[in-house]
Amino acid sequence: MKQICTLGELLIDMTQNGTDELGNGRFTAYPGGAPANVAVAAARLGAETAFIGKVGNDAFGRSLTETLRKEGVDVTGLFRCEDIPTTMALVSVDERGEREFAFYRTPGADTQLTADEAISALEKLPLILHVGSLSLTTMPAREACEAAVNYAKERGALISYDPNYRAALWESEDLAIEMMKVLIPLADILKVSDEEMLMLTGTEDFEEGSRILSDQGPSLVLVTLGSQGVFARHGSFAGVVPGFRVKVADTNGAGDTFLGAMLAQIAGREHLLSDLDEEELRNMVTYANKAASLTCSRRGAIPAMPFADELK
């Protein structure tokens, strides 16, 4: 049994790294995809992780598979699509390190994961199954994601969910909100950005927004606030855990690093979430904030993620 299994997109982040002398963008092909990022982040911090997804039978697909394998992520559940290429995201970065996404995914291999493939890969049930909302944008990946969550939940695994909004992948914001809400009642751990919390609850108040989300099912709600830190809600505790300020090179993968660090710590606890108190939660979120800040200080998503020794 692996401690953590993540399911969803594994793709190439073609990320802008400055410009040439004529002002044209220079791009570098980085491995990416939020659930895959989470698996690597947790693995680098000592957790046993696995990934379920699909890539094309092409150079990018082979490269991504080898990247996960080298990072110690079990790729038994990573399938190949023979007739559809590996998905690619173009990531433009502004002077503050903030990102803008465009996707080559109509379709992309990650959208072709089937329910049968996902369930077969979950035969050895993990302690925690993590999924994201990009799997809900297109069939058959949507069916695969929902089937996997229900299968794991019914058998006692904790469900971690990131309703990760990417406007370019949805027909409309209203449809995105509707679909992003589908898995919230099944989640035990929910990570959202402040913008996503507003979309899902209609309020900018972190106390109220996190309560609305928690009332739907998740016992741990984490609202990421960039350099300000994270608003966490669990049990009787609800409050901000401060973050760390760094010189930002690229924010890509920061939220995934944070969540991977949280899941690695939760998976290492004897009772997972059940006896987690305020002091320990604050320490865990501080540790995860530190990991995310290091990722922000370097370029790329997976290449920028820290190892446990760096957080001591």
Side-chain angles (χ1 to χ4, degrees):
M1 173 190 290
K2 296 295 180 185
Q3 292 176 310
I4 301 164
C5 180
T6 72
L7 179 151
E9 68 275 10
L10 174 60
L11 48 79
I12 291 292
D13 278 333
M14 198 66 74
T15 304
Q16 183 176 354
N17 286 330
T19 58
D20 63 17
E21 62 278 4
L22 298 177
N24 300 309
R26 284 183 171 143
F27 290 81
T28 303
Y30 290 113
N37 292 343
V38 171
V40 171
R44 285 192 172 191
L45 298 176
E48 295 181 344
T49 69
F51 177 76
I52 300 172
K54 210 161 196 176
V55 292
N57 186 16
D58 51 32
F60 280 149
R62 291 186 287 276
S63 173
L64 290 168
T65 302
E66 187 59 24
T67 294
L68 293 192
R69 187 178 287 117
K70 285 181 177 178
E71 294 289 348
V73 178
D74 187 328
V75 292
T76 305
L78 180 54
F79 300 90
R80 279 203 181 161
C81 192
E82 295 298 328
D83 54 350
I84 294 174
T86 299
T87 301
M88 189 188 325
L90 278 180
V91 188
S92 299
V93 183
D94 66 18
E95 63 276 3
R96 297 170 298 154
E98 294 299 324
R99 306 156 297 158
E100 182 177 329
F101 289 85
F103 290 87
Y104 290 83
R105 191 184 185 235
T106 52
D110 75 288
T111 69
Q112 302 304 298
L113 182 71
T114 68
D116 287 345
E117 289 168 335
I119 297 303
S120 71
L122 282 172
E123 185 177 351
K124 294 181 179 178
L125 193 70
L127 295 174
I128 302 171
L129 173 65
H130 170 72
V131 299
S133 62
L134 297 197
S135 293
L136 303 178
T137 58
T138 309
M139 295 290 280
R142 180 190 307 165
E143 183 181 38
C145 180
E146 292 177 342
V149 167
N150 281 289
Y151 178 92
K153 183 82 172 179
E154 290 167 1
R155 287 159 178 78
L158 285 186
I159 303 301
S160 166
Y161 176 44
D162 179 6
N164 186 18
Y165 180 61
R166 295 286 179 261
L169 295 178
W170 295 96
E171 293 178 9
S172 68
E173 184 173 310
D174 288 343
L175 177 61
I177 292 170
E178 177 186 344
M179 292 305 303
M180 288 163 66
K181 287 180 176 180
V182 167
L183 294 181
I184 293 176
L186 295 173
D188 300 286
I189 302 161
L190 181 70
K191 193 279 287 183
V192 294
S193 68
D194 48 356
E195 295 93 345
E196 290 155 356
M197 186 198 76
L198 174 59
M199 291 178 66
L200 294 168
T201 66
T203 179
E204 294 181 324
D205 182 86
F206 303 130
E207 178 91 24
E208 177 67 7
S210 64
R211 184 194 62 76
I212 291 171
L213 294 170
S214 180
D215 285 350
Q216 295 177 55
S219 63
L220 174 61
V221 175
L222 302 160
V223 185
T224 57
L225 312 175
S227 62
Q228 296 177 40
V230 169
F231 189 98
R233 175 180 288 276
H234 176 71
S236 61
F237 172 70
V240 173
V241 180
F244 297 84
R245 290 189 177 274
V246 296
K247 182 177 180 181
V248 174
D250 177 0
T251 59
N252 200 19
D256 303 327
T257 300
F258 168 82
L259 185 53
M262 287 298 300
L263 296 184
Q265 294 174 92
I266 292 166
R269 302 184 75 253
E270 182 179 358
H271 301 294
L272 301 179
L273 288 177
S274 62
D275 61 346
L276 183 60
D277 62 24
E278 178 181 338
E279 181 181 3
E280 188 177 4
L281 177 59
R282 283 184 175 275
N283 289 337
M284 291 168 67
V285 175
T286 298
Y287 177 87
N289 282 343
K290 189 183 296 185
S293 72
L294 285 175
T295 297
C296 286
S297 71
R298 306 187 281 224
R299 292 197 178 276
I302 286 176
M305 291 173 175
F307 292 90
D309 288 347
E310 297 181 81
L311 299 182
K312 294 178 180 178

